[in-house]
Amino acid sequence: MNIQDARKEIDNIDTQIVKLYEKRMNLAGVIGEEKIKQNLPIEDKSREQQLIAQRCDQLEDKTLTPGL
């Protein structure tokens, strides 16, 4: 694979990431609205830490884990 091919593939991946990020943020908004309606705290630090750990465990390349 040459530089141009790699850059083109990165551009395609970035486009997918942007679409997924937008979808994720919209869903997070729905959750935030529901938490407000139910008088629940917006932040849940233990859940956030659990999710980060789970996502890091999903990495095939463990060198990409934050803090390493």
Side-chain angles (χ1 to χ4, degrees):
M1 177 179 289
N2 61 37
I3 291 174
Q4 282 83 6
D5 291 340
R7 285 181 175 160
K8 191 173 186 177
E9 188 159 345
I10 286 173
D11 289 343
N12 290 334
I13 292 167
D14 287 347
T15 297
Q16 293 173 39
I17 289 170
V18 168
K19 288 178 183 178
L20 289 170
Y21 179 75
E22 185 173 26
K23 186 174 182 177
R24 187 187 195 287
M25 293 307 294
N26 287 330
L27 291 168
V30 170
I31 291 169
E33 290 172 8
E34 280 301 311
K35 284 184 170 188
I36 290 169
K37 286 179 189 175
Q38 296 178 29
N39 262 346
L40 297 171
I42 298 296
E43 288 188 44
D44 184 346
K45 294 210 182 264
S46 64
R47 176 166 164 73
E48 291 172 16
Q49 291 173 347
Q50 179 186 23
L51 289 174
I52 291 169
Q54 287 173 348
R55 298 309 173 253
C56 288
D57 286 344
Q58 291 173 333
L59 289 169
E60 290 181 27
D61 182 350
K62 298 301 182 194
T63 65
L64 298 174
T65 303
L68 288 183

